[in-house]
Amino acid sequence: MSKITPTCACCGPLQLAGNHSRRGFLTAGAATVAGSLMGMMPFQAQAASGNYEAMLVNCIDPRFTTLSWQYMGLLQGISREKLTDNYSQFVIAGGPIGAVHPKFSAWHKAYWDNLDITVSLHHIKRVVGITHRDCGAAKLAFGDDKVADKETETESHAEALNEFRRQVQKRHPKLSVITGIMSLDGRVDLIG
């Protein structure tokens, strides 16, 4: 039986003792240099504090990750600049529903503590709370009959979004609040 030799260091076991090769030495050296250089590279990330436009609160549903990002890029900020890369984000099942509905009461403190921190660190001007159609968390919170058709679903979401708005304004009266329900195509019906 012949011994199979891996063609690169990542595909074979790390050999620390014996059987050293010039290729292995060069591979390890190149990886070390590359890692060191990456530490010296300037990155686009900004500091942990600053002045940002908003905090987005939305759902964990992967179908809405890109759509939410696109929506935030379209919103106009107070300074009339796009919100892209100018907002913080809190993702929780149901989005604003998860932050206020009694079914998810164990999560509420985590959201409100995060809002307090983003107000303090990021000096945001608004909160954007977006729920979405066909939401599993909404079904758990409201029951299947309260999301059975678009009209009933809208009423159920609107009730939670209005409560979310009230709680944000009670805790942080200077913040403006935008709330809406996102459709599967990314269109947002504003509520409130």
Side-chain angles (χ1 to χ4, degrees):
M1 209 179 266
S2 67
K3 181 179 174 185
I4 299 175
T5 306
T7 58
C8 67
C10 66
C11 297
L14 182 61
Q15 297 175 352
L16 296 176
N19 202 10
H20 298 286
S21 71
R22 188 171 55 183
R23 178 178 282 173
F25 176 76
L26 291 174
T27 300
T32 302
V33 170
S36 297
L37 289 175
M38 287 183 68
M40 292 186 238
M41 303 276 292
F43 290 98
Q44 294 287 335
Q46 296 180 8
S49 63
N51 294 306
Y52 297 92
E53 198 61 41
M55 176 191 224
L56 169 64
V57 183
N58 63 332
C59 187
I60 62 172
D61 190 321
R63 296 176 295 171
F64 296 91
T65 304
T66 301
L67 294 173
S68 297
W69 174 77
Q70 290 171 339
Y71 177 74
M72 291 302 287
L74 295 174
L75 274 181
Q76 296 295 316
I78 294 170
S79 63
R80 309 303 292 165
E81 293 177 16
K82 299 274 185 184
L83 285 171
T84 298
D85 295 332
N86 199 14
Y87 65 94
S88 63
Q89 186 171 7
F90 189 90
V91 181
I92 188 171
I97 296 168
V100 298
H101 195 279
K103 176 82 173 173
F104 307 117
S105 62
W107 304 347
H108 296 178
K109 182 174 175 12
Y111 171 69
W112 298 112
D113 286 351
N114 271 269
L115 178 59
D116 291 345
I117 289 169
T118 200
V119 166
S120 174
L121 290 177
H122 300 154
H123 308 106
I124 62 170
K125 299 170 185 79
R126 67 181 69 200
V127 174
V128 179
I130 302 293
T131 62
H132 66 84
R133 304 282 177 197
D134 188 36
C135 178
K139 288 177 187 173
L140 290 173
F142 308 132
D144 288 337
D145 58 324
K146 296 287 187 176
V147 294
D149 58 71
K150 187 175 180 178
E151 184 179 328
T152 308
E153 180 184 46
T154 300
E155 290 171 10
S156 299
H157 282 245
E159 185 177 316
L161 288 167
N162 288 328
E163 178 60 26
F164 176 78
R165 174 188 302 278
R166 279 191 291 279
Q167 288 192 34
V168 170
Q169 291 174 334
K170 177 182 168 186
R171 289 172 165 87
H172 296 282
K174 292 182 180 180
L175 293 179
S176 66
V177 183
I178 297 171
T179 54
I181 307 168
M182 185 173 282
S183 298
L184 297 172
D185 64 1
R187 191 175 125 251
V188 175
D189 296 320
L190 295 177
I191 303 293

